[in-house]
Amino acid sequence: MLDIEYTRAVLPVRGALALLVPEDGERPALYRAADEATGGAVSRAVEAAEFSFGKNKSLLLPGPGGGLSRIVLIGLGKAAELDDAAAEAAGSAAFAALKAVSLGAIALDGLPASLGPQAALGAVLSSYRFDRYRTTQKPDERPKLERLTALSPDPEAAASSWAAMKAVAAGAFLTRDLVSEPPNVLTPPVFADRIAELSALGLQVELFTPEQMEALGFGALLAVAMGSEAPARMAVMRWQGAADPKAAPVAFVGKGVTFDSGGISIKPAGGMEDMKWDMAGAGTVVGLMAALARRRAKVNAVGLVGLVENMLSGRAQRPGDVVRTASGQTVEVLNTDAEGRLVLADVLWYAQDRFKPRALIDLATLTGAVIVALGHEHAGLYSNDDALAQRLAEAGLAVGEKLWRMPLGDAYDKALRSDIADMKNIGGRPGGSITAAQFLKRFVGEVPWAHLDIAGTAWASKDAPGVPKGATAFGVRLLDRLVATHYED
Ligand code: BES
Ligand code: MN
Ligand code: ZN
């Protein structure tokens, strides 16, 4: 991860310098200092380029003199309109302009003090790469920047608020790493082993084998795993950070299908490789738990992930099978590709039954239908509790991970009626994301519960500020914010 070092806002610095500058008001002190150090090169360039410091606009000055290899001016737009998102986008632009050099600094004195670390976060989050399987990359194809000096008016204050933000960024990176891994590498047992390593952060980790899940009655989760050579796992991660160790935890549950072929109801070949990231819900829960542990959050939290591979074989479950869930309810499996809800049915039931949580939140790449409904801009939000839904929606807006609340209701629930069992696992084409959520609702009892369908937001096909294309870690920042705002001592 890109290392950020906060120091006093003074020149000289060596290497490359990014100056974050609002379009109105007096020019920041470091801007003036850089202009002076370069014998007026900065102001001459601004004038010659007719650069006006508009939001998300930048101007590069190679070899400006004054001991600097380059200066990049990054416009912040109107000072009065600056917010977290604008600061992050500016930090992200700074990283893009500096990444090719080994020595870089970013001047934060054009931002209100509270937004400085936010800009650093934008730079760090956009520095993410997944290079594990590249062996022929030339050195000049890799970013050289490993440490960014943040020139800050109050470096002590910035560094102290940075510690928690860095923990969350590290959590998001862990999620992105897990979600990016190919499905031949990240099988359920390997995923579980990676989770076990997090006990080094102070998380209590329990892993469950198929035999142990059998004893718990996890007939639905195990039915999904039947077609795979890789054995299923469930992982439970606990973070005990509240003053009262007995205080009820917040519980997070993630869908961890390490590859979703569809099973006997096999998916079409085109794009099937995307189904390696069908474990993004689980990856997000793991990254979140790591973030809470790293920043020593004053909360009791528990994360549970159901890890399976959905494959075809002579042992795979069939359309028409009836399975018994941990709750005792039976399910007629009419489509083996509606497997995520089968996994979650058992893990959700277990989570509320064992932990009696204050709130229960699941994340899952559950349906293609949510992408039809909301595209890639919002994740679907379902909840049986208006207050929880509102908290989630607000946290999402605050961190730029947007949620859109979708309806639940008996009329949708009826679509799940089965001729032979308590329910079937599909509700037909209409409202496909909604009927999937109705299915989950049958396994959460009376607990305040929310379901985030992240099928459209877990993976990005193009770069955005702070979110390079690929695994997004959508939900890590959101849920960390939710915990920080509402559930800590
Ligand atoms: N993992 C998929 C959903 C998905 C689709 C995630 C596209 C990300 C991108 C899920 O298991 C699935 O296959 N859902 C089916 C449900 C249907 C069979 C009722 C779907 O959405 O088609
Ligand atoms: Mn599926
Ligand atoms: Zn799936």
Side-chain angles (χ1 to χ4, degrees):
M1 195 164 85
L2 176 67
D3 199 27
I4 304 288
E5 194 189 21
Y6 292 91
T7 64
R8 286 197 317 127
V10 289
L11 294 185
V13 295
R14 291 182 308 117
L17 173 64
L19 295 163
L20 274 43
V21 184
E23 72 180 35
D24 47 0
E26 207 189 333
R27 297 278 178 252
L30 284 169
Y31 175 96
R32 286 182 272 124
D35 195 31
E36 195 171 313
T38 57
V42 177
S43 48
R44 279 198 301 280
V46 166
E47 207 169 309
E50 299 181 34
F51 186 68
S52 58
F53 302 94
K55 195 168 171 175
N56 299 329
K57 299 273 185 280
S58 61
L59 179 67
L60 178 68
L61 290 69
L68 291 160
S69 63
R70 65 173 75 178
I71 288 177
V72 57
L73 301 172
I74 292 169
L76 293 170
K78 295 214 166 38
E81 287 166 18
L82 278 171
D83 58 8
D84 284 16
E88 270 178 57
S92 169
F95 176 76
L98 301 181
K99 66 181 178 191
V101 301
S102 50
L103 212 57
I106 180 172
L108 300 178
D109 65 337
L111 287 166
S114 64
L115 291 183
Q118 213 69 43
L121 182 64
V124 169
L125 288 173
S126 51
S127 75
Y128 179 77
R129 291 170 66 88
F130 187 74
D131 283 339
R132 220 177 163 172
Y133 299 102
R134 296 185 192 278
T135 66
T136 57
Q137 206 173 45
K138 300 187 184 70
D140 61 356
E141 290 168 346
R142 279 174 206 264
K144 289 207 194 69
L145 191 67
E146 278 171 10
R147 169 182 288 195
L148 185 60
T149 305
L151 305 168
S152 149
D154 187 349
E156 285 79 27
S160 80
S161 63
W162 177 243
M165 294 164 83
K166 185 179 167 185
V168 178
F173 277 32
L174 172 59
T175 300
R176 289 176 183 176
D177 281 345
L178 290 167
V179 175
S180 301
E181 284 287 358
N184 61 329
V185 173
L186 200 80
T187 59
V190 171
F191 197 162
D193 290 346
R194 296 258 188 118
I195 293 170
E197 290 168 11
L198 298 178
S199 54
L201 298 177
L203 288 170
Q204 301 163 25
V205 179
E206 291 168 61
L207 301 181
F208 293 70
T209 62
E211 296 68 34
Q212 291 168 308
M213 289 189 274
E214 182 85 58
L216 293 170
F218 278 25
L221 182 151
L222 290 170
V224 176
M226 276 200 311
S228 172
E229 294 290 323
R233 293 285 187 268
M234 175 171 69
V236 176
M237 295 152 271
R238 301 183 74 176
W239 171 250
Q240 291 284 100
D244 176 4
K246 290 210 166 59
V250 194
F252 301 98
V253 167
K255 167 180 173 181
V257 177
T258 62
F259 184 72
D260 180 12
S261 69
I264 298 295
S265 314
I266 191 169
K267 287 181 179 296
M272 203 199 273
E273 67 279 8
D274 283 351
M275 288 300 107
K276 76 169 185 179
W277 48 263
D278 208 20
M279 37 56 70
T284 302
V285 168
V286 172
L288 170 71
M289 294 303 295
L292 296 176
R294 274 214 178 81
R295 71 173 182 80
R296 301 256 170 270
K298 295 186 172 57
V299 68
N300 293 340
V302 58
L304 302 96
V305 294
L307 310 176
V308 299
E309 186 183 37
N310 189 23
M311 292 293 269
L312 307 82
S313 81
R315 274 195 297 273
Q317 70 170 333
R318 294 145 291 250
D321 284 3
V322 173
V323 299
R324 190 176 300 275
T325 64
S327 71
Q329 301 174 88
T330 57
V331 179
E332 182 187 13
V333 179
L334 288 183
N335 189 321
T336 64
D337 198 11
E339 85 296 342
R341 63 197 76 182
L342 296 173
V343 173
L344 290 175
D346 284 336
V347 182
L348 282 169
W349 176 262
Y350 179 79
Q352 56 84 37
D353 186 48
R354 174 172 168 192
F355 294 106
K356 314 280 185 269
R358 297 160 76 179
L360 174 59
I361 299 163
D362 76 76
L363 299 104
T365 48
L366 202 63
T367 66
V370 81
I371 312 177
V372 176
L374 300 174
H376 304 284
E377 304 309 317
H378 291 84
L381 161 62
Y382 295 87
S383 184
N384 61 4
D385 186 288
D386 291 344
L388 177 59
Q390 190 173 346
R391 288 173 170 190
L392 281 160
E394 282 171 8
L397 272 183
V399 303
E401 294 178 343
K402 296 194 293 288
L403 303 176
W404 195 261
R405 188 161 183 195
M406 303 279 282
L408 290 166
D410 287 343
Y412 295 109
D413 193 65
K414 287 197 178 75
L416 299 172
R417 284 180 183 166
S418 158
D419 291 336
I420 167 171
D422 296 336
M423 70 197 85
K424 53 188 184 180
N425 76 329
I426 51 172
R429 256 179 69 81
S433 168
I434 307 173
T435 53
Q438 282 307 150
F439 184 97
L440 302 183
K441 186 170 181 290
R442 291 174 175 230
F443 298 90
V444 298
E446 301 299 311
V447 181
W449 156 77
H451 157 57
L452 309 185
D453 192 336
I454 58 170
T457 54
W459 190 269
S461 54
K462 56 180 195 302
D463 289 337
V467 191
K469 74 176 182 190
T472 61
F474 182 101
V476 172
R477 296 181 62 195
L478 187 162
L479 295 173
D480 174 75
R481 177 64 67 102
L482 177 85
V483 168
T485 315
H486 298 289
Y487 296 102
E488 290 196 53
D489 290 348

